[in-house]
Amino acid sequence: ERFSAFASRSLNTNEILKALNDTIFENIPADKIYICLKKNDAYVVKYGASPLDKAVLTISEDNPCVTYLNSGESCLLINEFKGNPLYLSMWEEEKKMISDFGIACIIPVRVDEKIIGLIMLTKKQNNRGYNYNDTVFLSTLAMIAGISVKNADLYEQIYRESRYDTLTELYNHKSFLEIIEREFVKAKDSSLALLFIDIDDFKLYNQLYGNEEGDKALKMVAEAITRCVGDNGIVFRYSGKVFAVLFPGYDSKSAQRVAECIKYTIYNINDTPERRLYKKLTISGGICVYPYAASNVKEMIDNADLAVYNAKNNGKNCIAVYN
């Protein structure tokens, strides 16, 4: 009841899995608990046990254990399963993994009859086997967890879509407006550099090669910017063909060095053999730094935009600094 009340209120998947893990430990003395969620075509550990175990323990969706549970079974006890033909059909590597990790009991986490996760427990600390009451208790927890994780996933998906650009997976314009305000306040006794990056003649690029190829170019540009910026700044897709980067603590020279790296990297995108027939991608960049060239957020944005305009007027494929 306590777990159900908490899980129904939480919209954070990790919080729900932690509560599930703790509830099982409080009531069933298992040595270890592994809680897996489905990712692509496998179930990977999302909570429980040690980080090293998490990296290694993976159950594919076509594993005979999953096939058995997909037949409608609410629980799989390994000792009993060893007499099942499905166990005999397992690869030796799969049997060894289950044996090495000491898995004794597997409970499916279902949503709409689909298995979205697995709760895997090792033997009990008192060496007793899992009984009927244990499996009913675990199945009830799994049912509650399945509904709660689904709701949390929906919330996290909606939240992500409202904060991130779906094409490039960068922060979007809404996130930019929120984060620049936050970083501006944090830079009160320091500095904050804003870089705008505008892809030159991108309308022509789309007309020449089509929107699908244009989207590919946008993704490559986003990857190039992210690679050059690294952990030194925060990257955004500001609008259709315009990207923005915030550099906390940077002055204009430091920001310009990174901007030149970005310009060079983007210029060389089409140097690969399969892309040499495409028009060269170039960018015009504009930089404004607080407190040297702006006194508030609006001035930073306007002045960086003005610097981009200046770069365009100076022949494009260059970086301008507002001062």
Side-chain angles (χ1 to χ4, degrees):
E1 289 175 352
R2 204 165 59 242
F3 172 69
S4 179
F6 174 83
S8 63
R9 292 193 306 268
S10 177
L11 290 171
N12 184 297
T13 302
N14 284 335
E15 286 182 356
I16 294 167
L17 298 184
K18 180 182 184 303
L20 174 61
N21 181 81
D22 294 347
T23 305
I24 295 172
F25 260 130
E26 286 174 16
N27 294 275
I28 296 178
D31 279 339
K32 289 182 179 180
I33 300 170
Y34 302 95
I35 302 173
C36 305
L37 292 180
K38 191 174 182 184
K39 183 179 180 182
N40 299 325
D41 57 353
Y43 297 88
V44 296
V45 178
K46 290 294 183 182
Y47 199 90
S50 70
L52 183 62
D53 291 340
K54 287 184 185 183
V56 177
L57 181 55
T58 302
I59 304 288
S60 65
E61 66 177 353
D62 59 359
N63 185 293
C65 293
V66 179
T67 303
Y68 175 81
L69 293 169
N70 267 322
S71 68
E73 298 293 338
S74 60
C75 171
L76 184 154
L77 299 175
I78 295 298
N79 282 339
E80 294 179 7
F81 186 59
K82 286 180 179 178
N84 191 295
L86 282 170
Y87 180 82
L88 300 176
S89 70
M90 290 175 69
W91 297 104
E92 290 304 316
E93 292 85 352
E94 293 173 322
K95 293 178 184 177
K96 185 176 185 303
M97 183 180 65
I98 288 174
S99 174
D100 288 348
F101 281 94
I103 305 302
C105 176
I106 304 177
I107 303 290
V109 179
R110 287 190 172 93
V111 172
D112 301 328
E113 303 303 318
K114 294 180 180 177
I115 298 177
I116 65 159
L118 300 170
I119 302 171
M120 298 191 286
L121 299 89
T122 61
K123 68 180 189 320
K124 288 185 180 180
Q125 293 168 3
N126 54 18
N127 282 325
R128 291 182 181 176
Y130 288 90
N131 58 40
Y132 176 76
N133 288 337
D134 293 333
T135 59
V136 170
F137 175 71
L138 290 166
S139 296
T140 304
L141 288 179
M143 179 184 66
I144 298 166
I147 296 168
S148 301
V149 167
K150 179 185 177 182
N151 291 337
D153 280 347
L154 288 172
Y155 172 79
E156 288 165 7
Q157 181 182 342
I158 292 167
Y159 177 83
R160 182 170 182 82
E161 288 173 356
S162 72
R163 293 293 187 277
Y164 292 85
D165 173 58
T166 52
L167 177 67
T168 62
E169 297 185 356
L170 298 176
Y171 283 117
N172 61 17
H173 186 264
K174 179 179 179 180
S175 294
F176 170 80
L177 296 177
E178 292 175 358
I179 292 172
I180 193 172
E181 291 284 354
R182 184 189 71 203
E183 293 299 326
F184 188 85
V185 172
K186 287 166 64 176
K188 183 178 179 182
D189 300 318
S190 176
S191 63
L192 178 65
L194 169 61
L195 165 66
F196 277 151
I197 298 163
D198 191 325
I199 303 176
D200 297 324
D201 304 317
F202 192 64
K203 183 178 180 181
L204 174 61
Y205 194 93
N206 272 330
Q207 288 172 343
L208 288 171
Y209 311 117
N211 291 335
E212 185 177 342
E213 194 58 47
D215 285 348
K216 286 182 184 178
L218 285 169
K219 291 172 76 172
M220 288 188 289
V221 167
E223 289 166 5
I225 296 171
T226 304
R227 195 161 60 247
C228 290
V229 172
D231 296 329
N232 300 306
I234 310 165
V235 185
F236 307 83
R237 185 181 180 191
Y238 185 79
S239 63
K241 64 186 181 74
V242 180
F243 297 83
V245 186
L246 284 173
F247 295 101
Y250 268 45
D251 59 18
S252 59
K253 287 185 178 179
S254 300
Q256 191 167 7
R257 277 197 298 270
V258 180
E260 291 292 343
C261 168
I262 292 168
K263 186 188 78 171
Y264 175 81
T265 305
I266 291 172
Y267 185 78
N268 289 311
I269 280 176
N270 285 336
D271 273 356
T272 55
E274 67 272 15
R275 297 196 61 83
R276 282 181 182 160
L277 295 178
Y278 288 87
K279 180 182 181 296
K280 278 283 188 181
L281 287 166
T282 65
I283 58 109
S284 296
I287 296 169
C288 180
V289 182
Y290 165 83
Y292 315 111
S295 58
N296 56 52
V297 169
K298 185 178 185 305
E299 279 188 6
M300 279 191 75
I301 295 171
D302 289 346
N303 293 346
D305 194 42
L306 192 60
V308 172
Y309 180 77
N310 191 36
K312 294 275 188 188
N313 282 346
N314 284 334
K316 305 176 183 177
N317 193 31
C318 64
I319 309 297
V321 180
Y322 184 91
N323 57 49

